[in-house]
């Protein structure tokens, strides 16, 4: 109960500002190795991993391909004041020396003294520091953890914003060091999780301002079944919850291990995309297929 209270509390300030801002028109499907009757929105790019694609065979995102949506609402749309909102101070992000000092501080006031600039206690999801954004084929996530937002050290909390485009899904993954509260603030998400062997799989469809909980270490996924963008807020009871994409991890093992796990000879190359899709759980694969047809998105 205490952990859940911390997580819910961590979401409250964001939701008070963000919830009214996500009702505007969608940027529509972007052209990510696919064609659609709707124009693409702009993009941000970063290093590797995680988010799933609209369908297997979709080409990776490039810096010029466009990704939806561009950002959260700007400060001008979230305050009635005519005064400019001061930018967040990102100079402390990834500062290993400071991070070490914060860990060694004897008391909380000592940690605060190590961060003299008030703006350093602000994290801007519109303009996050480097190494905060993970871009995949179907969307992106922006995380605030103790590495890129050192004021979190000692709080036991972190947060991620997820942006899933039309028919995009966040591929099955786990967080080894934290449970997750996942709250939808725009669009719709279909979620699934299973906590361990022998436990049943929990399916839910979440609308705006609806939330689900994923237990620590539980295998889970989120899928956007519609033709509009979806945005979720994920709160964690850890400053460093970690993430491991299940399929990507499996296919990183030695080939003999992979063959034994799936029970057949298999190589993951372009010509094997449809074979790879057959390994995705049927309801997710069929959901993607139906969504592509509904949104008039052609696979590359």
């Amino acid at each position: 109960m205490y952990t859940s209270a911390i997580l819910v509390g961590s979401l409250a300030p964001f939701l008070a500002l963000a919830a009214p801002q996500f009702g505007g028109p969608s940027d529509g499907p972007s052209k990510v190795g696919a064609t659609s009757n709707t124009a693409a929105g702009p993009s941000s790019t970063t290093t590797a991993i995680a988010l799933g694609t609209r369908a297997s065979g979709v080409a990776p995102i490039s810096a010029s391909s466009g990704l939806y949506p561009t950002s959260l609402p700007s400060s001008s749309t979230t305050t009635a004041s005519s005064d400019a909102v001061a930018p967040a101070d990102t100079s402390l992000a990834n500062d290993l020396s400071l991070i070490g000092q914060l860990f060694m501080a004897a008391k909380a006031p000592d940690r605060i003294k190590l961060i003299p600039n008030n703006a350093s206690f602000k994290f801007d999801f519109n303009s996050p520091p480097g190494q905060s954004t993970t871009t995949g084929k179907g969307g992106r996530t922006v995380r605030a953890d103790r590495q890129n937002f050192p004021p979190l050290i000692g709080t036991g909390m972190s947060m991620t914003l997820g942006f899933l485009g039309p028919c995009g899904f966040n591929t099955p993954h786990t967080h080894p060091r934290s449970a997750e509260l996942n709250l939808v603030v725009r669009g719709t998400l279909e979620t699934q999780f299973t906590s361990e062997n022998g436990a049943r799989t929990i399916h839910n469809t979440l609308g705006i301002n609806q939330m689900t909980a994923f237990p620590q270490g539980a295998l889970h996924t989120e899928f956007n079944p519609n033709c509009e963008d979806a945005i979720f807020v994920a709160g964690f009871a850890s400053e460093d919850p970690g993430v491991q994409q299940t399929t990507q991890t499996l296919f990183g093992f030695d080939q003999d291990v992979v063959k034994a796990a799936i029970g057949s000879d298999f190589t993951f190359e372009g010509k094997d995309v449809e074979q790879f899709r057959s390994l995705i759980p049927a309801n997710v694969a069929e959901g993607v297929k139906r969504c592509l047809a509904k949104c008039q998105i052609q696979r590359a």
Side-chain angles (χ1 to χ4, degrees):
M1 294 296 293
Y2 177 71
T3 296
S4 298
I6 291 176
L7 291 177
V8 172
S10 72
L11 300 179
F14 171 81
L15 295 176
L17 295 177
Q21 305 300 328
F22 292 111
S26 167
D27 292 331
S30 66
K31 296 179 181 178
V32 187
T35 58
S36 171
N37 60 355
T38 310
S43 169
S44 76
T45 59
T46 185
T47 55
I49 71 170
L51 295 178
T53 179
R54 293 194 179 100
S56 297
V58 176
I61 288 174
S62 67
S64 62
S65 65
L67 186 65
Y68 33 73
T70 57
S71 69
L72 294 173
S74 67
S75 58
S76 63
T77 66
T78 57
T79 178
S81 172
S82 59
D83 297 333
V85 176
D89 173 23
T90 62
S91 64
L92 306 185
N94 308 304
D95 184 337
L96 297 183
S97 176
L98 173 65
I99 290 171
Q101 294 178 60
L102 291 170
F103 272 112
M104 294 297 292
K107 293 184 178 181
D110 297 327
R111 287 196 294 270
I112 292 176
K113 289 178 182 178
L114 290 169
I115 307 176
N117 186 353
N118 287 350
S120 299
F121 287 84
K122 179 191 299 188
F123 188 92
D124 189 351
F125 284 95
N126 295 305
S127 301
Q131 302 180 40
S132 301
T133 305
T134 295
T135 302
K137 296 178 181 179
R140 62 187 172 95
T141 60
V142 183
R143 79 180 195 282
D145 60 20
R146 68 189 184 197
Q147 178 183 1
N148 61 10
F149 190 38
L152 286 175
I153 293 173
T155 67
M157 299 183 296
S158 61
M159 181 175 285
T160 290
L161 263 64
F163 303 83
L164 294 183
C167 305
F169 71 99
N170 194 0
T171 57
H173 60 283
T174 61
H175 301 290
R177 290 179 290 278
S178 179
E180 173 184 343
L181 290 178
N182 188 292
L183 174 67
V184 174
V185 295
R186 180 175 181 176
T188 301
L189 285 184
E190 293 183 0
T191 67
Q192 297 182 42
F193 79 86
T194 182
S195 56
E196 59 184 290
N197 291 347
R200 81 177 193 274
T201 300
I202 307 298
H203 304 250
N204 276 300
T205 299
L206 306 179
I208 294 175
N209 295 337
Q210 292 186 332
M211 180 182 77
T212 191
F214 303 128
Q216 181 174 343
L219 181 63
H220 61 282
T221 187
E222 302 97 355
F223 167 58
N224 176 7
N226 292 326
C227 305
E228 296 79 33
D229 302 319
I231 301 176
F232 65 84
V233 181
F236 299 97
S238 171
E239 301 155 18
D240 178 29
V243 64
Q244 184 176 71
Q245 303 299 131
T246 305
T247 304
Q248 289 89 332
T249 299
L250 172 61
F251 281 89
F253 287 172
D254 290 342
Q255 189 174 20
D256 290 345
V257 174
V258 176
K259 287 181 178 180
I262 66 176
S264 64
D265 290 338
F266 181 77
T267 57
F268 185 55
E269 298 174 351
K271 65 179 181 297
D272 299 309
V273 165
E274 287 304 317
Q275 186 177 357
F276 178 74
R277 289 185 76 247
S278 71
L279 303 176
I280 302 173
N283 56 335
V284 174
E286 287 304 308
V288 171
K289 186 176 180 180
R290 287 194 303 270
C291 187
L292 290 172
K294 176 174 68 174
C295 300
Q296 302 180 40
I297 299 172
Q298 301 296 321
R299 280 181 293 176

